[in-house]
Amino acid sequence: MMCIKQIFSRTHRLKVGQVLGAAFTSSRGFHGEQQVSRESSALPIIHHSRYVCDLPPNHRFPMAKFPRVLHFLIKDQVITEEQVWVPEIASKELLSCVHTEEYLNDFFNGKINEQDQRRTGFPWSEGLVRRCRYETGGTVLAAEVALQRGLACSTAGGTHHAFPSYGSGYCLLNDLAVAAKYLMGVSSPKRKILIVDLDVHQGDGTAFIFKEEPCAFTFSVHSGKNFPLHKQQSDLDISLDDGMEDKEYLSTVETHLPLLLETFRPDLVLYDAGVDPHWEDELGRLRLTDQGLYQRDLYVMKTVVSRGVPVAAVIGGGYSRDNDKLALRHSILHRAATQVWRDCGM
């Protein structure tokens, strides 16, 4: 298996910068506390120090991975601090485009019962509410910036198991759905948004939310025998057998993505780049390597951007007791995005 630092040594320049142009220009304000210079020519990275919260000792969710992703990107000189955009906290009004008023009131005010807390995997706390709101704000900001710049990546996001009226599977607010709904609602005509979900688990909450929305297309490639037990129906579901490796996995993605871009013709792609298909992931059932994940991310983003369609990417799921190893694995997305940014002359 090729190590992470070896993955990013090759450069192939594409002449597609002119394709991107004015389609990404926006005069609207951003959902950001702090923005880099509009003159910056580097890949936008969306991060907030409050993407984390305290959890009970030995909790299975790897909360510490979020700041470590940014740490390694800066340490390895993949990005600089000047590239970092800081999102605002997502308001209740923003979240209500997807989630019910009753659920938001209960979640904000600590009225989630024990059974519902067990379904999410988290004990309720004010810190958890704040963390989820900043994470959702980060995905919204990534999508806004992508529309202007062509490509942007958050260091969190991908909470695709959250439904309008309840959370599930470590997901309390559906950031992808909120970003999509918001950006569809503020444009005329309504934007068409393709959600490419390559997390190892089906994006069941997202599929449910958009099942009757013609301007959103949900595409999920996931392990068929993994969580959730009861799947929803995405616009396109690709169920994979246990143990699938790099070559067959990449071939599957390559078979479907170009056709979706040609037929649906999205105005924006939201990309969930979960690393839980990795062979070492504690909750995955596939056998992808670091190199396979890098080639996957590179292919998805380059295929979309080269067609003049902007991409906002989130890190999705990934589970390991070794937070540094996991954070490095998640940083594959941002390393691949940096390569796409250079190759495409963005």
Side-chain angles (χ1 to χ4, degrees):
M1 181 177 65
M2 190 175 292
C3 74
I4 288 179
K5 287 190 177 179
Q6 289 176 314
I7 288 174
F8 313 105
S9 61
R10 302 182 184 89
T11 301
H12 304 284
R13 195 81 177 169
L14 294 181
K15 300 297 184 181
V16 300
Q18 293 180 343
V19 175
L20 299 171
F24 305 131
T25 301
S26 172
S27 60
R28 292 187 303 104
F30 292 101
H31 282 78
E33 292 181 352
Q34 175 183 329
Q35 300 169 17
V36 298
S37 167
R38 297 294 176 90
E39 302 304 317
S40 173
S41 60
L43 171 72
I45 300 294
I46 317 301
H47 178 80
H48 202 291
S49 59
R50 289 186 170 179
Y51 279 172
V52 299
C53 69
D54 292 333
L55 292 176
N58 301 314
H59 193 280
R60 191 173 194 180
F61 186 81
M63 188 67 70
K65 69 183 181 179
F66 300 109
R68 300 302 286 172
V69 172
L70 185 70
H71 165 80
F72 284 117
L73 290 172
I74 293 174
K75 176 178 177 290
D76 294 345
Q77 298 183 337
V78 179
I79 68 166
T80 66
E81 292 182 359
E82 285 69 31
Q83 292 174 238
V84 178
W85 295 58
V86 181
E88 293 177 346
I89 194 167
S91 68
K92 186 177 179 181
E93 180 182 7
L94 175 62
L95 298 172
S96 66
C97 70
V98 166
H99 295 286
T100 66
E101 183 178 2
E102 181 180 9
Y103 173 62
L104 291 176
N105 285 336
D106 288 347
F107 180 50
F108 278 34
N109 297 312
K111 297 180 180 179
I112 304 296
N113 64 45
E114 288 189 14
Q115 180 180 349
D116 288 343
Q117 288 184 54
R118 286 195 296 272
R119 179 166 54 191
T120 69
F122 289 125
W124 183 90
S125 69
E126 291 182 359
L128 179 67
V129 176
R130 183 178 61 240
R131 186 207 95 72
C132 294
R133 293 175 65 189
Y134 273 113
E135 180 177 46
T136 302
T139 301
V140 172
L141 179 59
E144 291 177 317
V145 174
L147 285 168
Q148 188 208 48
R149 299 291 185 88
L151 180 61
C153 300
S154 182
T155 57
T159 48
H160 57 177
H161 298 310
F163 283 71
S165 59
Y166 63 90
S168 176
Y170 297 144
C171 302
L172 286 304
L173 301 170
N174 195 312
D175 64 312
L176 295 166
V178 170
K181 280 262 193 178
Y182 171 72
L183 288 173
M184 285 190 290
V186 297
S187 64
S188 181
K190 187 185 286 188
R191 287 189 181 93
K192 297 174 68 178
I193 298 180
L194 170 62
I195 300 174
V196 176
D197 192 336
L198 301 189
D199 190 281
V200 81
H201 307 103
Q202 191 212 33
D204 55 338
T206 315
F208 176 85
I209 290 164
F210 291 117
K211 62 183 179 180
E212 295 180 358
E213 174 52 73
C215 288
F217 193 102
T218 52
F219 171 42
S220 180
V221 180
H222 53 265
S223 171
K225 296 180 180 179
N226 211 324
F227 179 89
L229 178 62
H230 301 294
K231 307 288 193 291
Q232 298 291 322
Q233 184 174 340
S234 307
D235 292 301
L236 177 59
D237 284 306
I238 306 297
S239 179
L240 306 179
D241 294 332
D242 287 1
M244 182 176 286
E245 298 182 351
D246 291 348
K247 185 176 181 180
E248 188 175 0
Y249 182 96
L250 293 170
S251 177
T252 300
V253 175
E254 291 168 359
T255 297
H256 297 284
L257 182 59
L259 182 60
L260 290 180
L261 293 171
E262 291 168 11
T263 55
F264 183 66
R265 295 187 178 276
D267 299 303
L268 172 69
V269 168
L270 300 179
Y271 175 39
D272 184 339
V275 298
D276 37 14
H278 194 272
W279 70 276
E280 287 187 308
D281 193 87
E282 293 179 359
L283 300 183
R285 303 172 71 109
L286 304 182
R287 300 284 301 172
L288 270 66
T289 64
D290 287 348
Q291 176 68 17
L293 289 173
Y294 178 74
Q295 292 298 331
R296 177 198 71 173
D297 294 347
L298 192 71
Y299 173 78
V300 169
M301 290 183 285
K302 188 174 288 187
T303 299
V304 176
V305 167
S306 65
R307 286 165 168 76
V309 179
V311 182
V314 297
I315 69 171
Y319 303 91
S320 172
R321 300 290 179 179
D322 188 332
N323 282 305
D324 281 356
K325 182 180 286 188
L326 180 58
L328 276 167
R329 195 174 299 153
H330 277 300
S331 77
I332 289 173
L333 167 66
H334 311 83
R335 297 169 195 262
T338 298
Q339 190 67 49
V340 171
W341 188 271
R342 292 170 182 161
D343 289 351
C344 294
M346 302 178 72

